[in-house]
Amino acid sequence: MKNIQNKWIRGAIPALLLHCSIGTVYCWSIFSQEIADYIGFSKGATEWAFSFAIFFLGMSAAFMGNIVEKNIHKSSLIATITFALGMAGTGFFIWYGGNNPHSILALVGIYVCYGFIMGIGLGTGYLSPVKTLMLWFQDKKGLATGLAVAGFGAAKAIASPIMQSLLSNLGEGGIYKMFYILAAVYFVMMFVGHLLLAKPADWVEPQTKSKDEGVVATLKREPIASYIGIWLMFYLNITCGLALISQEKMIIKCIGLGGAIGIISTVSAIFNAGGRLGFSAWADKLKDRNTIYKLIFILSIFFTAIVLATNGIQKGEGNILLIILVLALIFFVNAGYGGGFSNVPTLLSDHYGMGNISAIHGITLSAWAFAGLTGNQMASFIVSHFGNPIEHNGVMVNPTGYQNVLIVTLVLYAVALCLSLFLVKPTKK
């Protein structure tokens, strides 16, 4: 009974406290327009704060993986302080920008706080509980890591209505006041998670006596092509997911469901979280976790190809079947996007063991950093330069452009499937 309690108190609960806090980075779209209006800049200018946050999430995970490996208490404390500090700092520079409209200092300050400082908290906070969970749940590693990573995905669905309520009820300057309140709340949540987080008492860290036993040597135990394949298919899955998710609201408007955007976005977030938990739990029952990626890519290709073949985005309005197909694509891509995240640490542990897993997982998350800079921007470029924008219910949309985004993601999913089939070698768990 004591061991069961420890699994939850020392593993799962602190992981959820950490991931449900840092996962709110994906709430950016809820308040990005308000920030832009308040400080006197375009929404496009402020959007870079989110891109920087995702970039530094991946890069801080890559460079701080060794710290996480050596001391999860130190890394989780760093995550707690930097995430809360970055959020409070963002609030300060929004306040400053409101009093000094069009101030470059305010915009750069938001980039630094929301992008760089919070990004460090995101990367270290994301990594810190993952290895601990896999150690507590040796027989169900996928389920355990899926549970925590699902918390990261579900954070948007949980926090979005709270943030919208705060913005509506805090009055003048509500946008910066909200950041101060959230900084305090998430500091408490993450600090409690930091205090509770602990590895099993009987776990002994492997002693690294030389460089021959380090991360690079660990990766070389298997053909390096396998790791390259894992990194690339992870990168492509995130890029495709972000490309579609970034255009999700406009696609929904194209098929005549503009009034239900809030509900559909919430359902998408649930599929995202469900994919993180469901695909990783499913992988626990398979001989090779890479099979999950093959399924994700095959089904993503299937749904994308159907929407392309039926011209679902352009002809969907008023056609129930086409609307269902487009929604199925949106929901499955969200689920596959989440499932790709939750299966990476366990796939890596199957290939390379638990000794350097935090450092290896951190390096692999650099794929997230680069995808964060390319996924949204690729989709925006395609929509801006291809197709003909039209007015639809008072909003300018580009159905042809969104279909062209699907053509590119279809090709990228096909490349990812080839990597999964031919480059990532199977392993026996």
Side-chain angles (χ1 to χ4, degrees), residues 96-297:
Y96 181 84
N99 288 288
N100 301 274
H102 312 294
S103 168
I104 294 296
L105 178 60
L107 184 63
V108 172
I110 291 170
Y111 289 165
V112 171
C113 291
Y114 197 91
F116 176 65
I117 299 176
M118 264 182 64
I120 294 174
L122 289 166
T124 51
Y126 190 91
L127 271 186
S128 292
V130 173
K131 178 175 179 177
T132 304
L133 279 169
M134 288 194 285
L135 292 175
W136 278 113
F137 294 82
Q138 291 280 356
D139 296 331
K140 296 182 178 180
K141 293 188 291 185
L143 175 63
T145 55
L147 181 65
V149 179
F152 191 96
K156 181 180 178 181
I158 297 168
S160 292
I162 296 172
M163 291 181 177
Q164 288 173 333
S165 177
L166 288 172
L167 288 172
S168 300
N169 294 293
L170 288 174
E172 177 63 27
I175 183 65
Y176 73 81
K177 294 175 186 175
M178 181 191 74
F179 273 90
Y180 291 152
I181 293 170
L182 294 178
V185 171
Y186 290 133
F187 177 82
V188 172
M189 287 176 60
M190 294 180 72
F191 191 69
V192 171
H194 153 72
L195 294 176
L196 292 176
L197 189 65
K199 295 176 182 178
D202 58 354
W203 169 255
V204 179
E205 291 289 349
Q207 296 298 311
T208 301
K209 298 178 181 179
S210 68
K211 293 182 178 179
D212 293 335
E213 299 174 18
V215 174
V216 175
T218 302
L219 291 175
K220 287 182 177 179
R221 291 175 189 168
E222 293 197 13
I224 196 64
S226 281
Y227 179 75
I228 293 173
I230 292 172
W231 193 99
L232 286 174
M233 69 182 191
F234 183 46
Y235 165 77
L236 291 172
N237 190 49
I238 300 172
T239 297
C240 292
L242 288 176
L244 181 64
I245 292 169
S246 66
Q247 305 302 317
E248 185 177 293
K249 289 184 179 180
M250 303 309 293
I251 291 173
I252 292 169
K253 290 180 180 179
C254 281
I255 60 175
L257 298 179
I261 285 177
I263 296 173
I264 294 172
S265 294
T266 299
V267 175
S268 294
I270 292 171
F271 269 87
N272 190 314
R276 293 167 190 257
L277 181 59
F279 280 122
S280 55
W282 188 4
D284 282 333
K285 301 177 181 179
L286 302 175
K287 291 183 178 179
D288 183 9
R289 291 183 195 273
N290 186 34
T291 303
I292 287 294
Y293 285 97
K294 295 172 186 175
L295 289 170
I296 288 173
F297 298 142

Side-chain angles (χ1 to χ4, degrees), residues 203-420:
W203 169 255
V204 179
E205 291 289 349
Q207 296 298 311
T208 301
K209 298 178 181 179
S210 68
K211 293 182 178 179
D212 293 335
E213 299 174 18
V215 174
V216 175
T218 302
L219 291 175
K220 287 182 177 179
R221 291 175 189 168
E222 293 197 13
I224 196 64
S226 281
Y227 179 75
I228 293 173
I230 292 172
W231 193 99
L232 286 174
M233 69 182 191
F234 183 46
Y235 165 77
L236 291 172
N237 190 49
I238 300 172
T239 297
C240 292
L242 288 176
L244 181 64
I245 292 169
S246 66
Q247 305 302 317
E248 185 177 293
K249 289 184 179 180
M250 303 309 293
I251 291 173
I252 292 169
K253 290 180 180 179
C254 281
I255 60 175
L257 298 179
I261 285 177
I263 296 173
I264 294 172
S265 294
T266 299
V267 175
S268 294
I270 292 171
F271 269 87
N272 190 314
R276 293 167 190 257
L277 181 59
F279 280 122
S280 55
W282 188 4
D284 282 333
K285 301 177 181 179
L286 302 175
K287 291 183 178 179
D288 183 9
R289 291 183 195 273
N290 186 34
T291 303
I292 287 294
Y293 285 97
K294 295 172 186 175
L295 289 170
I296 288 173
F297 298 142
I298 289 170
L299 290 172
S300 297
I301 291 169
F302 173 76
F303 284 113
T304 305
I306 286 181
V307 172
L308 280 172
T310 58
N311 211 359
I313 296 175
Q314 290 177 308
K315 299 179 179 179
E317 187 169 11
N319 187 314
I320 298 298
L321 177 59
L322 294 183
I323 289 174
I324 291 173
L325 290 175
V326 173
L327 290 179
L329 171 64
I330 291 172
F331 294 152
F332 183 80
V333 167
N334 271 275
Y337 176 83
F341 277 106
S342 61
N343 277 284
V344 161
T346 46
L347 177 63
L348 291 169
S349 71
D350 286 348
H351 277 266
Y352 303 106
M354 293 295 295
N356 288 302
I357 189 60
S358 293
I360 295 172
H361 186 203
I363 294 170
T364 309
L365 288 180
S366 64
W368 194 359
F370 291 106
L373 291 179
T374 57
N376 294 10
Q377 283 75 7
M378 177 190 74
S380 296
F381 178 84
I382 293 170
V383 173
S384 298
H385 292 83
F386 299 93
N388 300 307
I390 59 173
E391 186 175 342
H392 183 77
N393 296 329
V395 180
M396 295 303 294
V397 296
N398 185 355
T400 303
Y402 309 138
Q403 290 278 136
N404 288 335
V405 171
L406 295 188
I407 293 173
V408 175
T409 59
L410 180 68
V411 172
L412 295 180
Y413 276 131
V415 172
L417 177 60
C418 290
L419 292 170
S420 182

